[in-house]
Amino acid sequence: MEHLALYRKYRPKTFEEVIGQDHITKTLANQILAGKISHAYLFTGTRGTGKTSIAKIFAKAVNCENTQTGSPCGECEVCKRLAQDNDINIVHMLSDSAFNALLKTLEEPPKYVIFILATTEVHKLPATILSRCVRFDFRLVSVADLSKLLARIFDKEGIKYDAEALKLIASAGEGSVRDTLSIADCVNAYSNGNVTKENTLKVLGTTDYDLLVEFFDKIIQKDIGGMLSLINEMDSKGKNLSVFAKDVSKHARDLLAIKTCKNPNEILNLPNDVFAKFEEQANTTNEKNLIRYMQLFSAAESELRYSLSTRLLLETTSLSAIMEEEVKKN
C-alpha cells in the first residue's frame, strides 16, 4: 500500500486548521464574509509555512456556495469539484513567459478573476507587480505550535511519543510545517511507532543537551585536554561534527538569550530541567564570550561541510574559543 506523507495527509482544508498564520487567515475569512475581496494577493515567506495551502483554501472559499465562517464548507458541489485538484478554474504555477505577460492583466483584471501570487523570493518581483497586490507575509511557525500539531497528528495516527521528542522534531523543522512533518515521518519510520528522544536524536544527528552542556563546560573552564577527549569520543562514535558545530553555535545563542532576555524560556521553549542546566551554565560566562562562540562555531559549521579533516577543524575552532581570550589578556 502506498504511504501518504504526513504533510500531504494533514494539509489543512480550512482556515481554522492552519497554524501560526492567524493574521492572514482571519483577514481573508473576514474579506470573504464581507464580500470585499481584492483582485490580486501576494503571499510571501519561507518554505513550508502555508502559502500554497492558504491559496487553495482561499480559492475554494471564494467559490463556495454556502460558507458560514469564511472557510470552504467542503460539502457543496463546487468544493467537492475543486478538491479534486484538476478543475481548470484554478491554475497553479506560471512559466517565466506567462509571468512576464501578467502585468497588463493585473492592471485591468476581469471581474471574475482573482490572482494569488505565492513566492519565497519576493525581492525578485518587479515593483509594478508588488504595487498592485495585497501583500501577506507568512511567519515562521513557533516550536510550541509545531509541537502541538505533531501531538495531534501522532495521536490520530496511534503513534507513541514523548514530549521532548516532539520538541526536538519541531525545532529541527525551523519554523516550516512541511519540513517538520517530513522529519516526523523519518523519525517515525526509524522508531516503528514509538518516537522517543533517543531515536529522534539518532535520526536527526543533533546533539543531546547534556553533551552540549558538558562540551561548553570544557570551553568555559579552558579545559583543553577534556575538550580534545570529548571530540575524540564523538568522532569515534560517528557523530556528524558539522551538525555538532551548528548545535554548539545554537547553544551559545540559547545561553545568550538566557542572560539578556526577559522570560527567555518563552523563546527557547526548553523542558524545565534542561532550562535549569542552561541557566546555571549561562551564569558562568559573559555575553561577550557567548557572542564570540556563536561567531566561531557558526563559521566552522559552513567549513566543516566541505572539510577533508572535520575533526581537526573542530578542534582548531574549539581551541580558538578557549585561547583567544587568553591571548588578549596577555
Short mmCIF file of all heavy atoms in Angstrom, two decimals, residues 184-243:
data_model
loop_
_atom_site.label_atom_id
_atom_site.label_comp_id
_atom_site.label_asym_id
_atom_site.label_seq_id
_atom_site.Cartn_x
_atom_site.Cartn_y
_atom_site.Cartn_z
N ALA A 184 9.22 14.27 10.94
CA ALA A 184 8.43 13.37 11.78
C ALA A 184 8.21 12.03 11.09
O ALA A 184 8.26 10.97 11.74
CB ALA A 184 7.09 14.02 12.12
N ASP A 185 7.97 12.05 9.78
CA ASP A 185 7.82 10.81 9.02
C ASP A 185 9.07 9.94 9.12
O ASP A 185 8.99 8.72 9.34
CB ASP A 185 7.55 11.14 7.54
CG ASP A 185 6.11 10.83 7.13
OD1 ASP A 185 5.49 9.97 7.77
OD2 ASP A 185 5.63 11.45 6.17
N CYS A 186 10.24 10.58 8.96
CA CYS A 186 11.51 9.83 9.01
C CYS A 186 11.74 9.25 10.40
O CYS A 186 12.13 8.08 10.54
CB CYS A 186 12.67 10.75 8.63
SG CYS A 186 12.68 11.28 6.92
N VAL A 187 11.51 10.06 11.44
CA VAL A 187 11.73 9.61 12.81
C VAL A 187 10.78 8.45 13.14
O VAL A 187 11.18 7.46 13.76
CB VAL A 187 11.54 10.76 13.82
CG1 VAL A 187 11.62 10.25 15.25
CG2 VAL A 187 12.59 11.84 13.58
N ASN A 188 9.53 8.57 12.71
CA ASN A 188 8.56 7.52 13.00
C ASN A 188 8.92 6.22 12.28
O ASN A 188 8.77 5.13 12.83
CB ASN A 188 7.16 7.97 12.59
CG ASN A 188 6.11 6.91 12.87
OD1 ASN A 188 6.03 6.37 13.96
ND2 ASN A 188 5.30 6.61 11.86
N ALA A 189 9.40 6.34 11.05
CA ALA A 189 9.80 5.14 10.30
C ALA A 189 10.94 4.41 11.02
O ALA A 189 10.95 3.19 11.11
CB ALA A 189 10.22 5.53 8.89
N TYR A 190 11.88 5.20 11.55
CA TYR A 190 13.00 4.60 12.29
C TYR A 190 12.53 4.01 13.62
O TYR A 190 12.98 2.96 14.05
CB TYR A 190 14.08 5.66 12.54
CG TYR A 190 15.24 5.17 13.37
CD1 TYR A 190 16.29 4.48 12.78
CD2 TYR A 190 15.28 5.38 14.75
CE1 TYR A 190 17.36 4.02 13.53
CE2 TYR A 190 16.34 4.92 15.51
CZ TYR A 190 17.38 4.24 14.90
OH TYR A 190 18.44 3.77 15.65
N SER A 191 11.59 4.73 14.27
CA SER A 191 11.15 4.35 15.61
C SER A 191 10.10 3.26 15.62
O SER A 191 9.76 2.73 16.68
CB SER A 191 10.60 5.59 16.33
OG SER A 191 11.55 6.63 16.36
N ASN A 192 9.52 2.98 14.45
CA ASN A 192 8.49 1.94 14.34
C ASN A 192 7.32 2.19 15.28
O ASN A 192 6.85 1.29 15.99
CB ASN A 192 9.10 0.56 14.61
CG ASN A 192 8.22 -0.57 14.12
OD1 ASN A 192 7.42 -0.39 13.19
ND2 ASN A 192 8.33 -1.74 14.74
N GLY A 193 6.84 3.44 15.28
CA GLY A 193 5.64 3.76 16.03
C GLY A 193 5.84 4.14 17.47
O GLY A 193 4.88 4.33 18.21
N ASN A 194 7.12 4.27 17.91
CA ASN A 194 7.40 4.67 19.29
C ASN A 194 8.50 5.74 19.26
O ASN A 194 9.69 5.43 19.36
CB ASN A 194 7.84 3.47 20.13
CG ASN A 194 8.03 3.83 21.59
OD1 ASN A 194 7.51 4.84 22.07
ND2 ASN A 194 8.80 3.02 22.31
N VAL A 195 8.09 6.99 19.11
CA VAL A 195 9.03 8.10 18.91
C VAL A 195 9.56 8.57 20.26
O VAL A 195 8.83 9.16 21.06
CB VAL A 195 8.33 9.27 18.18
CG1 VAL A 195 9.28 10.46 18.04
CG2 VAL A 195 7.85 8.82 16.81
N THR A 196 10.82 8.29 20.52
CA THR A 196 11.46 8.68 21.77
C THR A 196 12.53 9.72 21.52
O THR A 196 12.95 9.95 20.37
CB THR A 196 12.12 7.47 22.45
OG1 THR A 196 13.18 6.98 21.59
CG2 THR A 196 11.11 6.36 22.69
N LYS A 197 12.99 10.35 22.58
CA LYS A 197 14.07 11.33 22.48
C LYS A 197 15.32 10.69 21.87
O LYS A 197 15.96 11.28 20.98
CB LYS A 197 14.38 11.90 23.86
CG LYS A 197 15.64 12.75 23.92
CD LYS A 197 15.99 13.10 25.36
CE LYS A 197 17.36 13.76 25.45
NZ LYS A 197 17.77 14.03 26.83
N GLU A 198 15.66 9.49 22.33
CA GLU A 198 16.88 8.82 21.86
C GLU A 198 16.80 8.51 20.37
O GLU A 198 17.76 8.75 19.62
CB GLU A 198 17.10 7.53 22.66
CG GLU A 198 17.49 7.72 24.11
CD GLU A 198 16.34 8.22 24.97
OE1 GLU A 198 15.15 8.00 24.59
OE2 GLU A 198 16.60 8.83 26.02
N ASN A 199 15.67 7.98 19.91
CA ASN A 199 15.51 7.68 18.48
C ASN A 199 15.55 8.94 17.64
O ASN A 199 16.13 8.97 16.55
CB ASN A 199 14.19 6.95 18.25
CG ASN A 199 14.20 5.53 18.76
OD1 ASN A 199 15.26 4.94 18.94
ND2 ASN A 199 13.03 4.97 19.01
N THR A 200 14.93 9.99 18.16
CA THR A 200 14.90 11.26 17.43
C THR A 200 16.29 11.83 17.26
O THR A 200 16.67 12.30 16.18
CB THR A 200 14.00 12.28 18.15
OG1 THR A 200 12.68 11.74 18.29
CG2 THR A 200 13.91 13.58 17.37
N LEU A 201 17.09 11.78 18.32
CA LEU A 201 18.46 12.28 18.25
C LEU A 201 19.29 11.49 17.24
O LEU A 201 20.11 12.05 16.50
CB LEU A 201 19.12 12.21 19.63
CG LEU A 201 18.65 13.23 20.66
CD1 LEU A 201 19.21 12.90 22.04
CD2 LEU A 201 19.07 14.64 20.26
N LYS A 202 19.06 10.17 17.18
CA LYS A 202 19.80 9.34 16.23
C LYS A 202 19.46 9.71 14.79
O LYS A 202 20.35 9.79 13.93
CB LYS A 202 19.50 7.86 16.49
CG LYS A 202 20.13 7.32 17.75
CD LYS A 202 19.76 5.85 17.96
CE LYS A 202 20.36 5.33 19.25
NZ LYS A 202 19.96 3.91 19.50
N VAL A 203 18.18 9.91 14.52
CA VAL A 203 17.76 10.24 13.16
C VAL A 203 18.22 11.63 12.75
O VAL A 203 18.74 11.85 11.64
CB VAL A 203 16.23 10.14 13.02
CG1 VAL A 203 15.78 10.64 11.65
CG2 VAL A 203 15.77 8.71 13.24
N LEU A 204 18.07 12.59 13.65
CA LEU A 204 18.42 13.98 13.33
C LEU A 204 19.92 14.21 13.30
O LEU A 204 20.40 15.11 12.62
CB LEU A 204 17.78 14.93 14.35
CG LEU A 204 16.26 14.98 14.40
CD1 LEU A 204 15.80 15.96 15.46
CD2 LEU A 204 15.70 15.40 13.05
N GLY A 205 20.66 13.42 14.07
CA GLY A 205 22.09 13.66 14.19
C GLY A 205 22.39 14.83 15.11
O GLY A 205 23.53 15.26 15.22
N THR A 206 21.36 15.37 15.76
CA THR A 206 21.57 16.50 16.65
C THR A 206 22.14 16.04 17.98
O THR A 206 22.20 14.85 18.27
CB THR A 206 20.25 17.26 16.91
OG1 THR A 206 19.25 16.32 17.26
CG2 THR A 206 19.81 18.02 15.68
N THR A 207 22.56 17.00 18.78
CA THR A 207 23.32 16.71 19.98
C THR A 207 22.43 16.75 21.21
O THR A 207 21.61 17.65 21.37
CB THR A 207 24.45 17.75 20.13
OG1 THR A 207 25.18 17.84 18.90
CG2 THR A 207 25.40 17.35 21.24
N ASP A 208 22.64 15.78 22.09
CA ASP A 208 21.91 15.73 23.35
C ASP A 208 22.28 16.96 24.18
O ASP A 208 23.41 17.44 24.17
CB ASP A 208 22.28 14.46 24.10
CG ASP A 208 21.32 14.16 25.23
OD1 ASP A 208 20.45 15.01 25.50
OD2 ASP A 208 21.44 13.09 25.83
N TYR A 209 21.29 17.46 24.93
CA TYR A 209 21.52 18.65 25.75
C TYR A 209 22.68 18.45 26.72
O TYR A 209 23.50 19.35 26.93
CB TYR A 209 20.25 19.00 26.53
CG TYR A 209 19.07 19.40 25.68
CD1 TYR A 209 17.83 18.77 25.83
CD2 TYR A 209 19.18 20.41 24.73
CE1 TYR A 209 16.74 19.15 25.07
CE2 TYR A 209 18.10 20.79 23.96
CZ TYR A 209 16.87 20.16 24.13
OH TYR A 209 15.80 20.54 23.37
N ASP A 210 22.76 17.28 27.35
CA ASP A 210 23.80 17.03 28.34
C ASP A 210 25.19 17.10 27.71
O ASP A 210 26.14 17.59 28.33
CB ASP A 210 23.60 15.67 29.00
CG ASP A 210 22.38 15.64 29.92
OD1 ASP A 210 21.98 16.72 30.41
OD2 ASP A 210 21.82 14.55 30.15
N LEU A 211 25.30 16.61 26.48
CA LEU A 211 26.60 16.66 25.79
C LEU A 211 26.99 18.10 25.49
O LEU A 211 28.16 18.48 25.63
CB LEU A 211 26.54 15.84 24.51
CG LEU A 211 27.82 15.83 23.65
CD1 LEU A 211 29.01 15.30 24.45
CD2 LEU A 211 27.61 14.99 22.39
N LEU A 212 26.03 18.92 25.08
CA LEU A 212 26.32 20.33 24.83
C LEU A 212 26.78 21.05 26.09
O LEU A 212 27.74 21.82 26.05
CB LEU A 212 25.07 21.03 24.26
CG LEU A 212 24.73 20.76 22.80
CD1 LEU A 212 23.36 21.34 22.45
CD2 LEU A 212 25.80 21.37 21.88
N VAL A 213 26.10 20.78 27.19
CA VAL A 213 26.49 21.41 28.46
C VAL A 213 27.89 20.97 28.85
O VAL A 213 28.73 21.79 29.27
CB VAL A 213 25.47 21.06 29.57
CG1 VAL A 213 25.99 21.51 30.94
CG2 VAL A 213 24.12 21.71 29.28
N GLU A 214 28.17 19.68 28.69
CA GLU A 214 29.50 19.15 29.04
C GLU A 214 30.58 19.79 28.17
O GLU A 214 31.64 20.20 28.67
CB GLU A 214 29.52 17.63 28.89
CG GLU A 214 30.85 17.01 29.29
CD GLU A 214 30.87 15.50 29.08
OE1 GLU A 214 29.87 14.93 28.60
OE2 GLU A 214 31.93 14.88 29.40
N PHE A 215 30.32 19.88 26.87
CA PHE A 215 31.31 20.46 25.96
C PHE A 215 31.55 21.94 26.28
O PHE A 215 32.70 22.40 26.31
CB PHE A 215 30.83 20.31 24.51
CG PHE A 215 31.83 20.81 23.49
CD1 PHE A 215 32.91 20.04 23.12
CD2 PHE A 215 31.68 22.06 22.90
CE1 PHE A 215 33.83 20.51 22.18
CE2 PHE A 215 32.58 22.53 21.97
CZ PHE A 215 33.66 21.75 21.60
N PHE A 216 30.47 22.65 26.55
CA PHE A 216 30.61 24.08 26.86
C PHE A 216 31.35 24.29 28.17
O PHE A 216 32.08 25.27 28.33
CB PHE A 216 29.24 24.75 26.90
CG PHE A 216 29.05 25.73 25.78
CD1 PHE A 216 28.92 25.30 24.48
CD2 PHE A 216 29.01 27.09 26.04
CE1 PHE A 216 28.76 26.19 23.45
CE2 PHE A 216 28.84 28.00 25.01
CZ PHE A 216 28.72 27.56 23.71
N ASP A 217 31.17 23.37 29.12
CA ASP A 217 31.93 23.46 30.37
C ASP A 217 33.43 23.39 30.08
O ASP A 217 34.23 24.12 30.70
CB ASP A 217 31.53 22.33 31.32
CG ASP A 217 30.25 22.63 32.09
OD1 ASP A 217 29.87 23.83 32.16
OD2 ASP A 217 29.63 21.69 32.62
N LYS A 218 33.83 22.51 29.14
CA LYS A 218 35.25 22.40 28.78
C LYS A 218 35.76 23.71 28.18
O LYS A 218 36.88 24.14 28.48
CB LYS A 218 35.46 21.26 27.78
CG LYS A 218 34.89 19.91 28.17
CD LYS A 218 35.46 19.37 29.45
CE LYS A 218 34.88 17.99 29.74
NZ LYS A 218 35.26 17.50 31.09
N ILE A 219 34.92 24.33 27.34
CA ILE A 219 35.33 25.59 26.71
C ILE A 219 35.45 26.70 27.75
O ILE A 219 36.46 27.41 27.82
CB ILE A 219 34.32 26.00 25.62
CG1 ILE A 219 34.24 24.93 24.52
CG2 ILE A 219 34.68 27.37 25.04
CD1 ILE A 219 35.47 24.78 23.69
N ILE A 220 34.41 26.84 28.57
CA ILE A 220 34.37 27.93 29.55
C ILE A 220 35.49 27.77 30.58
O ILE A 220 36.13 28.74 31.00
CB ILE A 220 32.99 27.97 30.23
CG1 ILE A 220 31.92 28.37 29.21
CG2 ILE A 220 32.98 28.96 31.41
CD1 ILE A 220 30.49 28.22 29.72
N GLN A 221 35.74 26.52 30.99
CA GLN A 221 36.77 26.26 32.00
C GLN A 221 38.17 26.15 31.40
O GLN A 221 39.14 25.91 32.12
CB GLN A 221 36.42 24.97 32.75
CG GLN A 221 35.12 25.04 33.53
CD GLN A 221 34.62 23.68 33.98
OE1 GLN A 221 35.31 22.67 33.85
NE2 GLN A 221 33.39 23.64 34.49
N LYS A 222 38.26 26.31 30.09
CA LYS A 222 39.53 26.26 29.35
C LYS A 222 40.26 24.94 29.59
O LYS A 222 41.48 24.89 29.75
CB LYS A 222 40.41 27.45 29.74
CG LYS A 222 39.70 28.80 29.54
CD LYS A 222 40.63 29.95 29.70
CE LYS A 222 39.84 31.28 29.58
NZ LYS A 222 39.12 31.41 28.31
N ASP A 223 39.47 23.87 29.56
CA ASP A 223 39.98 22.51 29.75
C ASP A 223 40.30 21.92 28.38
O ASP A 223 39.48 21.23 27.77
CB ASP A 223 38.94 21.67 30.48
CG ASP A 223 39.39 20.25 30.76
OD1 ASP A 223 40.51 19.89 30.36
OD2 ASP A 223 38.60 19.48 31.35
N ILE A 224 41.51 22.17 27.90
CA ILE A 224 41.89 21.73 26.56
C ILE A 224 41.88 20.21 26.45
O ILE A 224 41.36 19.64 25.49
CB ILE A 224 43.28 22.30 26.18
CG1 ILE A 224 43.22 23.82 26.08
CG2 ILE A 224 43.76 21.70 24.86
CD1 ILE A 224 44.57 24.47 25.82
N GLY A 225 42.48 19.54 27.43
CA GLY A 225 42.52 18.08 27.39
C GLY A 225 41.14 17.46 27.40
O GLY A 225 40.86 16.52 26.64
N GLY A 226 40.27 17.98 28.24
CA GLY A 226 38.91 17.46 28.30
C GLY A 226 38.16 17.70 27.01
O GLY A 226 37.39 16.85 26.55
N MET A 227 38.38 18.86 26.40
CA MET A 227 37.72 19.18 25.12
C MET A 227 38.18 18.24 24.02
O MET A 227 37.37 17.70 23.26
CB MET A 227 38.01 20.64 24.75
CG MET A 227 37.46 21.06 23.39
SD MET A 227 38.62 20.76 22.02
CE MET A 227 39.92 21.93 22.42
N LEU A 228 39.50 17.99 23.93
CA LEU A 228 40.04 17.10 22.90
C LEU A 228 39.53 15.67 23.10
O LEU A 228 39.22 14.97 22.12
CB LEU A 228 41.57 17.14 22.92
CG LEU A 228 42.21 18.46 22.47
CD1 LEU A 228 43.72 18.40 22.69
CD2 LEU A 228 41.90 18.76 21.02
N SER A 229 39.44 15.24 24.34
CA SER A 229 38.94 13.89 24.62
C SER A 229 37.48 13.74 24.22
O SER A 229 37.07 12.71 23.67
CB SER A 229 39.11 13.58 26.12
OG SER A 229 40.46 13.56 26.49
N LEU A 230 36.70 14.79 24.46
CA LEU A 230 35.28 14.74 24.13
C LEU A 230 35.07 14.70 22.62
O LEU A 230 34.22 13.95 22.11
CB LEU A 230 34.56 15.96 24.73
CG LEU A 230 33.05 15.86 24.93
CD1 LEU A 230 32.68 14.61 25.73
CD2 LEU A 230 32.54 17.10 25.64
N ILE A 231 35.86 15.48 21.88
CA ILE A 231 35.77 15.45 20.41
C ILE A 231 36.19 14.07 19.89
O ILE A 231 35.58 13.53 18.96
CB ILE A 231 36.62 16.57 19.79
CG1 ILE A 231 36.00 17.93 20.11
CG2 ILE A 231 36.73 16.38 18.27
CD1 ILE A 231 36.79 19.11 19.58
N ASN A 232 37.23 13.51 20.49
CA ASN A 232 37.68 12.16 20.09
C ASN A 232 36.58 11.14 20.31
O ASN A 232 36.33 10.27 19.46
CB ASN A 232 38.91 11.77 20.90
CG ASN A 232 39.37 10.35 20.59
OD1 ASN A 232 39.81 10.06 19.48
ND2 ASN A 232 39.25 9.45 21.57
N GLU A 233 35.89 11.24 21.44
CA GLU A 233 34.79 10.31 21.74
C GLU A 233 33.66 10.45 20.73
O GLU A 233 33.12 9.44 20.24
CB GLU A 233 34.27 10.59 23.15
CG GLU A 233 33.16 9.65 23.60
CD GLU A 233 32.65 9.99 24.99
OE1 GLU A 233 33.36 10.68 25.73
OE2 GLU A 233 31.52 9.56 25.32
N MET A 234 33.29 11.69 20.39
CA MET A 234 32.22 11.91 19.41
C MET A 234 32.62 11.38 18.04
O MET A 234 31.83 10.74 17.34
CB MET A 234 31.89 13.40 19.33
CG MET A 234 31.15 13.94 20.52
SD MET A 234 30.59 15.65 20.27
CE MET A 234 32.16 16.52 20.29
N ASP A 235 33.87 11.63 17.65
CA ASP A 235 34.35 11.20 16.33
C ASP A 235 34.37 9.69 16.24
O ASP A 235 33.99 9.11 15.21
CB ASP A 235 35.74 11.78 16.09
CG ASP A 235 36.20 11.61 14.65
OD1 ASP A 235 35.36 11.78 13.74
OD2 ASP A 235 37.39 11.29 14.43
N SER A 236 34.78 9.02 17.30
CA SER A 236 34.85 7.55 17.30
C SER A 236 33.47 6.91 17.23
O SER A 236 33.31 5.78 16.76
CB SER A 236 35.59 7.06 18.55
OG SER A 236 34.88 7.39 19.73
N LYS A 237 32.45 7.64 17.70
CA LYS A 237 31.08 7.15 17.65
C LYS A 237 30.36 7.52 16.36
O LYS A 237 29.18 7.22 16.19
CB LYS A 237 30.29 7.67 18.85
CG LYS A 237 30.74 7.09 20.18
CD LYS A 237 29.91 7.64 21.33
CE LYS A 237 30.32 7.02 22.67
NZ LYS A 237 29.53 7.57 23.79
N GLY A 238 31.07 8.20 15.44
CA GLY A 238 30.48 8.56 14.16
C GLY A 238 29.59 9.79 14.20
O GLY A 238 28.77 10.00 13.30
N LYS A 239 29.76 10.63 15.21
CA LYS A 239 28.97 11.85 15.32
C LYS A 239 29.28 12.78 14.15
O LYS A 239 30.43 12.97 13.76
CB LYS A 239 29.29 12.56 16.65
CG LYS A 239 28.66 13.92 16.82
CD LYS A 239 27.17 13.83 17.01
CE LYS A 239 26.55 15.20 17.20
NZ LYS A 239 25.08 15.16 17.24
N ASN A 240 28.23 13.38 13.56
CA ASN A 240 28.40 14.36 12.50
C ASN A 240 28.93 15.65 13.11
O ASN A 240 28.19 16.37 13.79
CB ASN A 240 27.06 14.59 11.79
CG ASN A 240 27.20 15.49 10.57
OD1 ASN A 240 27.95 16.46 10.57
ND2 ASN A 240 26.47 15.15 9.52
N LEU A 241 30.19 15.96 12.89
CA LEU A 241 30.82 17.09 13.56
C LEU A 241 30.35 18.44 13.01
O LEU A 241 30.39 19.45 13.70
CB LEU A 241 32.35 16.98 13.46
CG LEU A 241 32.95 15.74 14.13
CD1 LEU A 241 34.47 15.76 14.06
CD2 LEU A 241 32.49 15.61 15.58
N SER A 242 29.90 18.45 11.76
CA SER A 242 29.32 19.68 11.20
C SER A 242 28.02 20.03 11.92
O SER A 242 27.79 21.19 12.27
CB SER A 242 29.08 19.51 9.70
OG SER A 242 28.42 20.64 9.17
N VAL A 243 27.19 19.02 12.12
CA VAL A 243 25.94 19.23 12.87
C VAL A 243 26.25 19.65 14.30
O VAL A 243 25.59 20.52 14.87
CB VAL A 243 25.07 17.95 12.84
CG1 VAL A 243 23.86 18.11 13.76
CG2 VAL A 243 24.62 17.65 11.42
#
